[in-house]
Amino acid sequence: MAEPAAIATEDLAVAESRRRGRAAGLNKSGRFEPLARESFNDGWDSLDDLPPLKTEVQEERARNIITRNESPDLSFDRSINPYRGCEHGCIYCFARPSHAFMGLSPGLDFETRLFAKPNAAQLLERELSRPGYSPRVIAIGTNTDPYQPLERGYKLMREILEVLDTCSHPVAIVTKSALVTRDIDILARMAERNLVKVALSVTTLDTKLCRAMEPRASAPHKRLAAVKALSEAGIPTSVMMAPVIPALTDSEIEAVLEAAAGHGASEAAFILLRLPLEVSELFRDWLLRERPDRYRHVMNLIRSMRGGKDYDARWGERMRGRGPYADQIAKRFALAAKRFGLNLRRRKLSTEAFVQPQKGGVQLDLF
């Protein structure tokens, strides 16, 4: 019988050949699961026989589509997420821990086991038609990307926009995908009534880093091309550095904002890297694999801005951090935005034209 030391455990690390094109290297069980899975090499090379991971999609018949929040850190109180999980696979995504609520791993499961809500547009029309509904800007793309590759086939985002366009309801969109340009026809119509603005998240201009960090998102030059196409169509467009990663991408702040302005963006914003719950281990594992020479520097700076921890979830600090280095990032960003003519005026979308749908699936009132 082999001694325990002779058994080489993988600690749930997934072989590179199986996860090609994915960012996460781990796939640990969700934190709510009673049992934990562990892969190990038993000497029979059975792990070598496992097939490459493929994207699986499960349709979910949602009951509600508008999610409410009361966060003082956010500029909106309602949002829509037509998908769960995200094939873009951004290693730093703060939404990864939400997959644990589905009994899945925030690691590779988040990138490969996705959920689509095919009744999203119908639910939206129903909820907008409810008596007493008061319109305010709906944010889309706040949790997972509405224009991830899955959208090419499902077209849920386009259906949602058609409902919002018909009702003249304002919407703010955030995405890392050039696929957003597919819907320029609808977005341009809404922009004429001051009903829409779009933000492209551009974290780096380094194509190689982008491919490792955001493996299935659009390349940086394609996102900037989308900014240009949207702005030329009269759609208010901004660029977000979300997140800024110290000692990895913060050196690009000025370059990203210059490129944003050069492609027609009118506004810019940033969010400091957030590492809640399982994201911390996933990001640290990725950093050791992809940028081992930067590991100590990056993590030391993160902890210097998070009170000595990987993450501090307190209101007012989770998006920006605190301390000298966090202040320096904020000041550099503000100065660069001013230099390139960004954020001179913040656009406020209008709710005045809203027309409530007529009984959009709501049961008729009893007499």
Side-chain angles (χ1 to χ4, degrees), residues 79-82 94 139-147 157 172-175:
S79 59
I80 292 175
N81 292 290
F94 65 85
I140 307 182
T142 57
N143 201 47
T144 58
D145 201 310
Y147 285 104
M157 185 60 183
I173 301 167
V174 180
T175 182

Side-chain angles (χ1 to χ4, degrees), residues 8-266:
T9 64
E10 287 200 335
D11 193 25
L12 296 178
V14 178
E16 185 176 358
S17 59
R18 293 197 65 215
R19 56 178 173 79
R20 186 179 301 277
R22 313 289 180 175
L26 305 175
N27 207 37
K28 290 191 173 183
S29 302
R31 61 188 178 280
F32 302 116
E33 301 310 296
L35 300 175
R37 299 168 298 172
E38 183 171 345
S39 302
F40 68 95
N41 188 344
D42 58 5
W44 290 89
D45 298 323
S46 56
L47 291 175
D48 296 337
D49 299 330
L50 295 174
L53 291 168
K54 294 183 178 180
T55 301
E56 300 176 13
V57 184
Q58 180 176 330
E59 293 188 354
E60 173 186 352
R61 304 302 296 185
R63 296 182 179 180
N64 298 286
I65 199 63
I66 298 178
T67 301
R68 310 278 178 156
N69 80 83
E70 298 180 353
S71 170
D73 288 335
L74 301 178
S75 60
F76 56 88
D77 69 349
R78 63 199 68 182
S79 59
I80 292 175
N81 292 290
Y83 303 104
R84 294 182 191 264
C86 187
E87 198 174 4
H88 282 167
C90 304
I91 190 59
Y92 50 71
C93 183
F94 65 85
R96 283 180 175 274
S98 65
H99 237 45
F101 292 108
M102 308 300 291
L104 298 171
S105 171
L108 284 162
D109 281 351
F110 180 80
E111 306 176 38
T112 60
R113 302 181 67 178
L114 313 179
F115 296 82
K117 304 173 186 178
N119 60 337
Q122 292 77 14
L123 287 174
L124 175 60
E125 187 175 11
R126 185 184 72 183
E127 291 174 36
L128 295 182
S129 71
R130 285 175 177 164
Y133 177 81
S134 178
R136 294 186 66 178
V137 177
I138 290 178
I140 307 182
T142 57
N143 201 47
T144 58
D145 201 310
Y147 285 104
Q148 60 179 286
L150 197 57
E151 170 65 12
R152 293 185 183 278
Y154 274 92
K155 297 183 174 63
L156 300 185
M157 185 60 183
R158 186 169 179 86
E159 292 177 2
I160 288 170
L161 287 177
E162 288 171 346
V163 172
L164 296 174
D165 180 31
T166 300
C167 300
S168 294
H169 194 295
V171 60
I173 301 167
V174 180
T175 182
K176 285 183 168 67
S177 175
L179 181 59
V180 65
T181 58
R182 179 201 64 189
D183 296 332
I184 278 182
D185 56 331
I186 302 176
L187 297 172
R189 288 199 304 268
M190 296 183 74
E192 291 175 355
R193 290 167 284 159
N194 193 27
L195 294 174
V196 66
K197 54 184 179 181
V198 179
L200 271 293
S201 177
V202 181
T203 51
T204 178
L205 300 178
D206 183 333
T207 303
K208 186 176 180 180
L209 175 60
C210 173
R211 190 56 55 217
M213 187 168 62
E214 308 157 339
R216 301 202 175 196
S218 295
H221 70 277
K222 291 186 177 180
R223 297 184 216 179
L224 290 171
V227 170
K228 184 176 182 180
L230 291 165
S231 61
E232 288 180 347
I235 301 160
T237 312
S238 63
V239 163
M240 292 188 66
M241 281 194 76
V244 170
I245 304 176
L248 194 61
T249 67
D250 60 337
S251 61
E252 297 186 67
I253 288 175
E254 290 78 9
V256 169
L257 295 191
E258 182 177 14
H263 284 77
S266 58

Side-chain angles (χ1 to χ4, degrees), residues 259-290:
H263 284 77
S266 58
E267 299 180 14
F270 81 93
I271 296 175
L272 188 67
L273 176 67
R274 299 167 56 188
L275 299 176
L277 300 171
E278 293 92 343
V279 184
S280 175
E281 182 179 10
L282 290 166
F283 179 78
R284 286 186 281 109
D285 173 75
W286 175 87
L287 198 55
L288 282 170
R289 284 186 285 110
E290 299 291 340

Side-chain angles (χ1 to χ4, degrees), residues 172 239 250 254 332 351 363 367:
V239 163
D250 60 337
E254 290 78 9
R332 281 179 55 203
T351 60
Q363 183 178 355
F367 54 85

